[in-house]
Amino acid sequence: MIASEPIPDAVRIPESFAGRGNAWERSDAICALAESLLAAPRSGAFVRKLREGKVAIYYGTRSPEDTLNYPQGHPRMGRPRYRWDRRADGVELGYLLPDPHAQDQDPR
Amino acid sequence: MSATALQQNWSNVEFASTNFVHVNSVTFSQGGQLLPYMGDANKHPTVIALQSVQNRCSITTSDVATPMGIQPGTSGTIQATQPDALGSTGGAINWTLINAVHENTDDTGNWGQFATATATFLAYSSDGTTPPLSFTRS
């Protein structure tokens, strides 16, 4: 990652980045990449596997509570929480959109 | 020593900050449910669609008082670590299930055996899209 590039709040990593190892090695590779992109310590990237059609995507964030869309009960319920920048290699970097309804804005 | 890619036993099992000891078994379930389609003269499904995904967890422990003390409907986060089979550093998997709602606990005791209790949980997604089950490496 370029040093001047802002640290994303979330990442979406295609399954192809898992490599060709066994299942544990593939999971480890995804976690390692997510940690690197999120500038998180080891064990600091929480990863969920999403299936979008026939494609598997790994969604990683620094908190297990994070969601792709605004949660139930939020005025923006169901709408995306992130602006996604897609890199040439297919990895997407997510940046939280300003939330005018948030009581506690994330200081990051 | 490199990771074996084999997981064995459980450690650091907790629900909503309640620590579980004497853990015999933990199950995290993806909870996928399929909807098969058949019509006309079909005797086999011609299409199978993924209808829903409901992440689940169950914990079986010989410390029966702990899960029996949790009221059904109580929600919280479940965390559990699945260590590497040979204890290799970095070989464990840490599971986290947020929004887990305690459904039920069954306490079973057979004569001449240690009693066990199994607590079951069903998790909801805050936005209906993001799976509540996540993992990190150790």
Side-chain angles (χ1 to χ4, degrees), chain A residues 36-90:
Chain A
S36 171
L37 294 170
L38 294 168
R42 189 180 178 96
S43 308
F46 293 82
V47 176
R48 309 97 172 142
K49 190 173 186 178
L50 311 171
R51 184 155 291 280
E52 298 182 353
K54 293 186 176 179
V55 179
I57 300 286
Y58 291 89
Y59 165 61
T61 63
R62 287 182 288 268
S63 167
E65 308 278 346
D66 282 321
T67 54
L68 287 159
N69 300 322
Y70 286 104
Q72 299 287 315
H74 191 281
R76 294 186 172 183
M77 180 176 72
R79 293 165 62 182
R81 292 179 66 223
Y82 303 97
R83 170 179 60 81
W84 293 101
D85 289 350
R86 187 183 180 88
R87 303 195 317 191
D89 61 5

Side-chain angles (χ1 to χ4, degrees), chain B residues 114-131:
Chain B
F114 291 111
T116 61
T118 297
T120 56
F121 303 85
L122 179 62
Y124 64 90
S125 170
S126 299
D127 64 352
T129 300
T130 310

